[in-house]
Amino acid sequence: MSISKYSCSASLPPSKGGVDPEDIDPDAEFGGSAARKELERKLLRKLDLRMSILVLIYILNYVDRNNAGAARSRGLVADLHLTDQQFATLLSILYVGYIIMQIPSNMFLNFTGKPSLYLPACMAVWGMISALTGITTNFTGAVITRFFLGFVEAAFFPGSLFLISKWYKRTEIGFRTAILYCGNIISNAFGALLASGILGGMNNVLGHAAWRWLFYLEGALTVFVAICAIFILPDFPSTTKWLSDDERRLALRRMEEDAGVGDQKETEQGGLTHGLYLAVTDWTVWWFAMAVNAIVVSLSFNAYFPTLSATLGYNPTVSLLLVAPPFVFAVIVTFCLCRHSDYKQERFYHIIGSWIAGIIGFIIAISTMNTAARYVSLFLMAQTYAGLVVMLAWMNNSFPRPPSKRAVCVAIINGFSQLGNVAGSYIWPLSWGPTYRYSYGICIAASGTAIIMAWIFKQHLISLNEKLEREEQEKGIKEKGFRYLL
């Protein structure tokens, strides 16, 4: 991470008469400060309403990704004659395609400036691929569909994070990231309930096994929502057509004030290759990616959550229903933690607080087979997502400029972190159950590693802030400019 002209405080050019607009009223073009505040509230309400569809898309993104876990014990493994290793490969192969497409997808998104078309198109394709998983008859066919599912799904999450970063300021981005990521967390609860209904009532309907219907119906629902999303999602501030002229100018001004230079100006000045070079050569991007990768390993229980809830000793239907409450709890914790993190403008302690609670959950699961205690441990594990969400908000705060670099940074970090999902797919073999002590031990080690790496990253940001402070003092700048959030 380098200090550059993009880290300076926001400023406006002098007027033609040589008078600084700030000496008059910086918000005069919007009708004054009061009128600007009202326009800003209107803009954010309109934007939040349209952005909310990202939550539904993310729910379906993870439902389509994790339905194999729900179908594991309801006929998928038996009908496709899968071994333990083959099922783990079925889960992990998705992330191979997911990793490959992260960077080129976000670069393309930044270049086109049309997320309202690009993201729904990718969504419709992955919905069709998910549905096709239901017609597979062997391991090879299932692996192929899962690989291409990940390949196309790769566009959504990094693309959504980048889209959010193009519209919201640092004081707003944590909460919006939380709202988005709650789609992931809710998907675990919603997906389990949906799977419970389909797997419990659709067996042998029209001659198809219930697990096949799970893929058919969820894939079809994804395609339908994708079509609707085309007419709802915003593009970037400079390319969104449903904004008024005042709203567009305000949207661009907000981002300029937040980081010192406008996204549109930087996009015009720096191309895709320049952004790729800046991101790839910044060692802190890779350090951050490895920290996220470590915590993702500890979150690998997500794909096996129905299996873990089954260790409580209830029948398959009840076990699936028991998956929902821990993730509903995780959603509540995520909202509260991210809201408080934005309010306090602090990231590190909010992150590790959640991860330490998760470690406590892993320790409880290792220590006892008591039903109540193990169910409590599932709640503590699930809320670990709250820390990850704050970590993702920290990412957008820490790599703000230029937008071409930010697009690649988001893709690198999210893509590289998926290696944790690949590795995590293999640490929950049935032979380690029902205690899964070794699995939980790996999760504890991964969480501890992530905490240490996050602390080191914080120390680096402290040094950058001190350097910015010295530069301002040397230049005689009295107004405090851009600072990295810690």
Side-chain angles (χ1 to χ4, degrees):
M1 186 185 308
S2 60
I3 305 295
S4 69
K5 62 182 180 181
Y6 305 116
S7 297
C8 64
S9 59
S11 61
L12 296 171
S15 64
K16 292 181 179 179
V19 179
D20 190 336
E22 292 185 358
D23 293 338
I24 306 173
D25 183 353
D27 299 320
E29 64 177 306
F30 305 112
S33 298
R36 169 181 167 156
K37 289 179 181 178
E38 180 58 33
L39 180 63
E40 194 162 1
R41 282 194 292 269
K42 179 182 176 183
L43 172 65
L44 288 177
R45 282 197 301 269
K46 182 186 294 188
L47 187 60
D48 288 341
L49 185 62
R50 286 179 174 267
M51 286 284 200
S52 63
I53 196 173
L54 292 175
V55 179
L56 178 57
I57 297 174
Y58 205 11
I59 290 174
L60 295 175
N61 181 273
Y62 255 73
V63 163
D64 289 335
R65 188 183 308 185
N66 289 344
N67 47 20
R72 183 185 191 187
S73 60
R74 303 299 290 273
L76 173 68
V77 171
D79 289 355
L80 300 186
H81 310 290
L82 302 179
T83 64
D84 237 13
Q85 284 292 101
Q86 285 178 325
F87 181 78
T89 301
L90 201 63
L91 295 183
S92 65
I93 195 67
L94 179 144
Y95 298 104
V96 176
Y98 196 85
I99 292 168
I100 291 172
M101 268 303 288
Q102 294 277 303
I103 294 176
S105 175
N106 248 25
M107 291 176 67
F108 182 75
L109 178 61
N110 182 59
F111 176 73
T112 61
K114 289 290 183 180
S116 66
L117 294 177
Y118 178 64
L119 296 181
C122 292
M123 184 184 182
V125 174
W126 92 56
M128 290 185 284
I129 293 174
S130 180
L132 289 174
T133 308
I135 68 173
T136 56
T137 57
N138 53 45
F139 172 66
T140 302
V143 164
I144 292 173
T145 56
R146 293 285 293 181
F147 171 80
F148 284 106
L149 178 65
F151 193 84
V152 182
E153 277 197 353
F156 174 69
F157 185 61
S160 297
L161 286 180
F162 183 58
L163 176 60
I164 289 173
S165 74
K166 294 282 284 188
W167 286 95
Y168 294 102
K169 299 191 293 185
R170 287 177 297 156
T171 55
E172 304 161 346
I173 205 168
F175 185 60
R176 268 70 179 194
T177 302
I179 293 174
L180 170 64
Y181 208 86
C182 279
N184 172 3
I185 303 172
I186 293 170
S187 72
N188 293 283
F190 174 77
L193 295 175
L194 183 61
S196 177
I198 295 174
L199 294 173
M202 295 292 291
N203 197 35
N204 291 323
V205 173
L206 300 179
H208 296 286
W211 70 266
R212 296 187 186 277
W213 279 111
L214 183 67
F215 289 99
Y216 297 154
L217 296 178
E218 291 179 351
L221 178 60
T222 297
V223 174
F224 171 75
V225 173
I227 295 172
C228 297
I230 295 174
F231 305 99
I232 299 173
L233 273 178
D235 290 317
F236 297 149
S238 59
T239 55
T240 296
K241 295 180 179 179
W242 44 261
L243 291 177
S244 67
D245 290 338
D246 284 346
E247 288 171 338
R248 178 174 290 103
R249 289 199 310 274
L250 179 57
L252 294 169
R253 168 81 78 83
R254 277 163 40 85
M255 301 313 296
E256 180 178 350
E257 292 172 343
D258 192 48
V261 65
D263 271 3
Q264 182 61 25
K265 180 180 178 181
E266 290 186 11
T267 300
E268 291 169 356
Q269 290 176 344
L272 296 177
T273 306
H274 181 61
L276 178 63
Y277 172 78
L278 290 176
V280 171
T281 56
D282 188 342
W283 71 268
T284 59
V285 175
W286 298 99
W287 183 266
F288 200 97
M290 287 188 289
V292 176
N293 183 62
I295 200 63
V296 167
V297 171
S298 75
L299 289 168
S300 61
F301 63 79
N302 169 60
Y304 291 88
F305 216 79
T307 300
L308 299 180
S309 68
T311 65
L312 300 176
Y314 298 97
N315 66 54
T317 299
V318 173
S319 293
L320 278 176
L321 293 176
L322 288 175
V323 169
F327 287 106
V328 172
F329 173 72
V331 168
I332 296 171
V333 174
T334 300
F335 271 115
C336 294
L337 192 70
C338 291
R339 192 69 170 176
H340 192 259
S341 176
D342 273 356
Y343 176 73
K344 291 293 186 180
Q345 287 292 281
E346 196 283 330
R347 302 300 190 207
F348 174 73
Y349 290 111
H350 287 80
I351 291 168
I352 68 166
S354 171
W355 292 353
I356 290 172
I359 290 175
I360 294 172
F362 296 136
I363 293 173
I364 293 173
I366 287 176
S367 304
T368 180
M369 286 300 292
N370 177 271
T371 300
R374 287 178 73 83
Y375 196 46
V376 168
S377 75
L378 294 181
F379 279 79
L380 292 174
M381 292 178 210
Q383 67 76 45
T384 306
Y385 275 104
L388 176 60
V389 174
V390 180
M391 187 78 166
L392 295 174
W394 203 18
M395 170 185 64
N396 270 329
N397 297 147
S398 302
F399 305 102
R401 326 304 310 173
S404 55
K405 176 186 176 181
R406 185 169 74 246
V408 178
C409 287
V410 171
I412 288 176
I413 292 168
N414 190 60
F416 192 80
S417 70
Q418 301 311 311
L419 293 175
N421 280 316
V422 175
S425 299
Y426 292 92
I427 67 172
W428 301 92
L430 289 174
S431 58
W432 286 3
T435 62
Y436 291 100
R437 287 192 177 94
Y438 297 119
S439 307
Y440 290 128
I442 293 171
C443 291
I444 291 171
S447 295
T449 301
I451 290 172
I452 293 171
M453 297 186 73
W455 180 83
I456 294 173
F457 184 74
K458 178 189 176 184
Q459 301 310 305
H460 175 67
L461 294 186
I462 290 174
S463 68
L464 291 182
N465 283 343
E466 290 173 347
K467 183 176 181 181
L468 287 170
E469 185 88 26
R470 289 194 303 271
E471 289 178 350
E472 287 179 352
Q473 290 176 355
E474 291 171 0
K475 295 177 181 178
I477 300 174
K478 296 181 179 180
E479 183 180 351
K480 185 176 181 180
F482 175 86
R483 294 292 186 274
Y484 293 101
L485 295 186
L486 305 178

